[in-house]
Amino acid sequence: MNNGAAITSYQLQWSTEEDDESFCELYEGLSLKYEVQGLIPATSYFFRVRAVNEAGQGPNSDFVTCRTPASVPGVISVVNVNAFSNALYLSWNEPPSNGSEITSYNVELDDFLYNTEENVLELCIEDLSPETVYRVRIQAVNEIGEGPFSESVQATTLKSPPLPPELECIAVSHNFLRLRWGENKIDESVCYTVEMSSKSKSFVPVYHGTGLSCKVNRLQENTSYNFRIYASSKSGQGPFSPIYTFQTGRAPPPSLKAPKVISVTENCCHVEWSGIKQLPGNSVTYQLQLTPASSTDSVIVYQGTDTKCIVDNLEPNMHYLLRVAAVRHCDEGDLMGNFSPSTAFTSPNVDITPQALTAAPQTISHSERRTMNDRHLAAALVFAFQLFSFLIAMFLEHVFCLSAPT
């Protein structure tokens, strides 16, 4: 019905909602039909139409609705690739499902097709060749069918991870081992990991870095430790090396305190020092060293298990230095500890007169002793007579002085 004026056009409007304000013009013309394209699958659309003549726009018709059927999934727009030496890790964004839930994805790698078998957004393809270029594209799959493939993405696998170097022990102590590996030149792109185990325990890392040596501390003496090493780079982690076994050594005995000189004479001295605890399974002895202060030649004057001794054959009025060290006797050999600090002392000087008087009876015969006694007696009598004469003279002089006239 044109209401007395010819219809000049029809206006077709559409919307995905029933709200009047959301409708927009889709077509205007004299045709009584219109084909809508580019619709979204599994989506409801609302349509209404009105006629236009010279008097203006007529009222809108009642809207009609229709729903597009479900379709295959949409195209995947983003594909990410993380390359390794023998694998490619792929991830992608989820495309529109188009009204039917996505059940899986097909991943095409060159001429091979992999299916994820479930709705996941990642896949790792392994057992690839190092340093090889691969072409990758992905499509989603739902109950309707397979969606379009994504654009092709090229990915190149990395070169193979480095092989493990040979491990060697270059220094051994009772509480540490120093290990070395590789060439002398450091490659910052290669990282090394050294792992250790002892007493059948699992391996634990003791070093990780780009260096070519490491020192493993806090070990027990005379104990075997197992080591292995592997190298890694941006290509990934390389294989483990064979297991190497290294053993720590025996601990030397600790240093002792300076010895003490208890007493000293002109030709001997009494020395004592503090010992150490006996080590399990090994015996400990001591060495006492004597050095004259005026000489650099030292003499071991005592070796044994006691912590005291008497040093004889000293020279009078001589300066000496004493020091002591402990020696641990093991099956592998003797281990000598460091010498203690030195103790200085001086032997006393010889008193010649008392020694001569004391020595005289030991060196004369019995007849000579009797002759010596007679001489002593005669000398004593002469001394007494002279003393008596001196006293008589003094007495007479005193008497004469008293009797003289004034």
Side-chain angles (χ1 to χ4, degrees), residues 132-185:
T132 303
V133 178
Y134 291 93
R135 181 181 58 85
V136 179
R137 60 180 189 167
I138 306 172
Q139 66 179 174
V141 181
N142 61 14
E143 294 181 355
I144 307 302
E146 298 172 346
F149 274 105
S150 65
E151 293 186 0
S152 295
V153 176
Q154 284 191 346
T156 304
T157 52
L158 304 177
K159 65 179 181 179
S160 299
L163 296 175
E166 183 177 353
L167 194 63
E168 61 177 333
C169 184
I170 58 174
V172 177
S173 181
H174 66 281
N175 59 357
F176 76 85
L177 294 170
R178 183 175 291 279
L179 309 179
R180 183 175 63 187
W181 57 87
E183 303 296 333
N184 294 329
K185 185 177 180 181

Side-chain angles (χ1 to χ4, degrees), residues 89-394:
Y89 177 78
L90 309 175
S91 63
W92 55 89
N93 67 327
E94 184 175 3
S97 63
N98 291 339
S100 179
E101 183 179 356
I102 296 175
T103 57
S104 64
Y105 292 89
N106 289 330
V107 178
E108 185 181 81
L109 182 72
D110 287 347
D111 297 331
F112 295 93
L113 189 66
Y114 300 86
N115 184 265
T116 61
E117 298 182 355
E118 56 182 336
N119 185 9
V120 294
L121 299 177
E122 59 185 8
L123 177 67
C124 185
I125 303 177
E126 299 178 331
D127 299 328
L128 303 180
S129 300
E131 299 181 278
T132 303
V133 178
Y134 291 93
R135 181 181 58 85
V136 179
R137 60 180 189 167
I138 306 172
Q139 66 179 174
V141 181
N142 61 14
E143 294 181 355
I144 307 302
E146 298 172 346
F149 274 105
S150 65
E151 293 186 0
S152 295
V153 176
Q154 284 191 346
T156 304
T157 52
L158 304 177
K159 65 179 181 179
S160 299
L163 296 175
E166 183 177 353
L167 194 63
E168 61 177 333
C169 184
I170 58 174
V172 177
S173 181
H174 66 281
N175 59 357
F176 76 85
L177 294 170
R178 183 175 291 279
L179 309 179
R180 183 175 63 187
W181 57 87
E183 303 296 333
N184 294 329
K185 185 177 180 181
I186 295 179
D187 186 356
E188 296 293 341
S189 64
V190 179
C191 192
Y192 300 96
T193 302
V194 180
E195 296 183 346
M196 180 188 74
S197 73
S198 63
K199 298 180 180 179
S200 301
K201 295 183 179 179
S202 60
F203 280 90
V204 295
V206 293
Y207 174 81
H208 180 78
T210 58
L212 300 179
S213 65
C214 72
K215 182 180 179 182
V216 186
N217 296 308
R218 299 179 180 179
L219 304 181
Q220 297 180 354
E221 71 164 358
N222 195 36
T223 303
S224 295
Y225 294 90
N226 296 324
F227 294 90
R228 65 183 184 183
I229 185 173
Y230 69 85
S232 58
S233 66
K234 64 178 182 179
S235 301
Q237 176 182 323
F240 280 103
S241 70
I243 295 178
Y244 299 86
T245 302
F246 304 116
Q247 182 173 336
T248 54
R250 296 279 189 178
S255 299
L256 303 178
K257 295 181 179 180
K260 297 179 180 180
V261 178
I262 304 303
S263 61
V264 59
T265 65
E266 63 271 9
N267 58 6
C268 70
C269 67
H270 181 202
V271 184
E272 294 183 357
W273 59 89
S274 300
I276 63 173
K277 295 181 179 180
Q278 290 292 329
L279 301 175
N282 303 132
S283 60
V284 176
T285 60
Y286 303 96
Q287 287 189 6
L288 185 65
Q289 186 184 80
L290 178 69
T291 304
S294 59
S295 174
T296 58
D297 296 333
S298 301
V299 180
I300 301 298
V301 295
Y302 173 78
Q303 296 186 47
T305 58
D306 289 340
T307 57
K308 59 183 178 180
C309 73
I310 295 178
V311 181
D312 51 12
N313 297 324
L314 302 179
E315 296 184 13
N317 196 28
M318 179 70 72
H319 299 289
Y320 291 98
L321 297 176
L322 280 173
R323 60 179 186 172
V324 64
V327 181
R328 181 181 182 182
H329 302 280
C330 310
D331 296 336
E332 299 83 1
D334 295 343
L335 293 174
M336 187 171 181
N338 296 325
F339 273 101
S340 68
S342 298
T343 297
F345 73 97
T346 303
S347 58
N349 197 4
V350 179
D351 189 356
I352 299 177
T353 302
Q355 287 184 357
L357 294 177
T358 303
Q362 298 177 1
T363 56
I364 60 177
S365 62
H366 180 71
S367 59
E368 290 176 339
R369 182 183 302 171
R370 186 167 59 182
T371 303
M372 184 80 63
N373 291 338
D374 293 339
R375 292 178 180 175
H376 290 168
L377 180 60
L381 292 175
V382 171
F383 177 76
F385 178 77
Q386 291 177 348
L387 178 61
F388 179 77
S389 300
F390 175 76
L391 294 175
I392 293 296
M394 292 293 295

